[in-house]
Amino acid sequence: YRYILIFFLIIFFSTNYSFSEDKNFNEWLLELEKEASERGISKETFNKAMENVVFIEKVKKLDKKQPERVITFNDYYERTVNKRRIEIGKKKYSLHKNEILDIANKYGVQARFILAIWGIETNYGTYTGSFSVISSLTTLAFNGRRAKFFRLQLLDALKILDEGHIELANMKGSWAGAMGQSQFMPSSYLEYAQDYDNDGKKDIWSNHLDVFASIAFYLKSHGWDNTKTWGRQVLAPKEILDSYKENYSNEETLKFWSDIGVKNIDGKQLPYLNLNANLILP
């Protein structure tokens, strides 16, 4: 009896939820199954995806974790856009130059920005996350802080599986469910992911063409204009910074900022254009 009791205690404490929570989870699961069915997700897909789902304690902790401190823009920039990442980016550009330029031309998004997002999001596809997307989203949808949001993401993830774009075992991502080399949430995947090579799958996990095209289409869908750059670092006189909020609006132009002494970070004059430009103070 002693051994049976020890075995029972091991099983009990190794689970991620109590018996009462288990009962609530089963009820929640039945409601989720009904909603999935209403969205056209097959019973087979739902059962396969959810039968081995687990609550991930690390995901719960990460969801509740608050930043210990706020870093400056320069700290963030030096950490994120370091020399090694730039060197790797140049090599990746040489390797995929023709592909990325074709995609840049088709979608109207400069190649350098597609490459930059790829590099910053997943270090050029080398770190895409190792969490089970279904288990992570289930953990957050069942009892997370933003349960409603993650429930919708979970349903979208099931839709992706049902459409056959990725196998369940390969559906890996970040702790919060962002997936693939472009780190799309499931809802973004369904709206913006591209099947650039027309192989029937929108593969943002391992297909570079689909990854680049998906990033480009996402930007273009949000109003990207390839006749302009995203922004620039500038040097501004102290008197402008001190009175910025009181004296200047968000409708000024590059020409205006140049006239009152704002310069490029290298000290050179800004482009002398009537192009609206906001001065953002990090």
Side-chain angles (χ1 to χ4, degrees):
Y1 289 111
R2 181 177 62 185
Y3 294 118
I4 292 173
L5 177 59
I6 292 172
F7 177 75
F8 173 78
L9 289 172
I10 290 172
I11 294 297
F12 180 81
F13 286 111
S14 66
T15 58
N16 289 295
Y17 45 85
S18 71
F19 289 143
S20 60
E21 287 176 326
D22 187 20
K23 182 180 178 182
N24 291 336
F25 176 71
N26 287 334
E27 292 173 356
W28 180 88
L29 199 60
L30 286 172
E31 293 172 358
L32 185 72
E33 182 179 13
K34 181 181 178 183
E35 191 170 351
S37 178
E38 291 170 353
R39 290 183 176 222
I41 298 165
S42 72
K43 187 176 182 66
E44 181 183 0
T45 295
F46 184 88
N47 289 341
K48 184 178 179 181
M50 304 303 294
E51 65 182 355
N52 294 316
V53 76
V54 295
F55 291 148
I56 306 174
E57 289 298 330
K58 187 174 182 180
V59 168
K60 292 181 182 179
K61 292 177 182 177
L62 288 169
D63 184 44
K64 295 175 181 177
K65 186 178 180 182
Q66 297 297 318
E68 293 180 2
R69 66 188 181 94
V70 176
I71 63 172
T72 66
F73 174 76
N74 285 336
D75 287 340
Y76 173 80
Y77 185 84
E78 289 171 7
R79 181 186 303 178
T80 309
V81 191
N82 52 58
K83 288 183 179 180
R84 174 151 178 75
R85 183 162 283 171
I86 293 170
E87 289 171 2
I88 295 172
K90 290 177 179 178
K91 292 177 182 177
K92 293 291 184 181
Y93 178 70
S94 296
L95 183 64
H96 300 288
K97 183 177 180 180
N98 293 334
E99 300 167 344
I100 203 167
L101 285 176
D102 286 345
I103 289 168
N105 289 332
K106 177 178 177 178
Y107 290 93
V109 176
Q110 300 96 312
R112 65 185 184 274
F113 296 114
I114 299 171
L115 193 71
I117 288 177
W118 184 39
I120 290 176
E121 286 293 343
T122 59
N123 198 29
Y124 309 103
T126 60
Y127 185 74
T128 58
S130 58
F131 290 88
S132 161
V133 168
I134 297 298
S135 287
S136 292
L137 292 175
T138 300
T139 301
L140 295 166
F142 178 58
N143 58 8
R145 292 182 299 112
R146 294 176 291 164
K148 185 177 180 180
F149 168 78
F150 285 110
R151 181 188 182 92
L152 294 175
Q153 296 300 320
L154 176 57
L155 288 164
D156 284 343
L158 292 169
K159 185 71 173 176
I160 293 165
L161 288 171
D162 202 48
E163 292 180 354
H165 296 291
I166 186 76
E167 294 295 325
L168 177 61
N170 298 327
M171 198 182 209
K172 305 289 185 181
S174 75
W175 67 268
M179 310 179 299
Q181 296 187 36
S182 52
Q183 288 292 277
F184 280 1
M185 291 299 290
S187 58
S188 292
Y189 176 97
L190 289 176
E191 192 162 356
Y192 305 111
Q194 300 289 286
D195 176 16
Y196 190 77
D197 59 358
N198 296 313
D199 67 350
K201 295 183 179 181
K202 300 174 181 179
D203 183 2
I204 61 171
W205 290 267
S206 59
N207 186 320
H208 288 120
L209 292 173
D210 290 358
V211 172
F212 300 153
S214 297
I215 292 170
F217 185 63
Y218 182 93
L219 291 176
K220 194 66 178 179
S221 298
H222 286 81
W224 189 271
D225 182 350
N226 65 354
T227 66
K228 303 178 180 67
T229 189
W230 74 273
R232 67 188 75 238
Q233 279 187 280
V234 294
L235 300 171
K238 186 175 184 299
E239 58 269 21
I240 291 176
L241 298 180
D242 289 344
S243 62
Y244 173 69
K245 290 184 178 179
E246 292 78 17
N247 295 336
Y248 306 107
S249 74
N250 290 336
E251 301 301 321
E252 312 296 357
T253 64
L254 282 174
K255 184 177 178 181
F256 171 85
W257 294 116
S258 181
D259 284 340
I260 63 172
V262 176
K263 298 181 182 297
N264 271 319
I265 193 70
D266 60 5
K268 295 180 181 179
Q269 187 179 29
L270 292 171
Y272 208 59
L273 301 170
N274 283 315
L275 178 66
N276 283 357
N278 303 340
L279 183 63
I280 299 173
L281 311 179

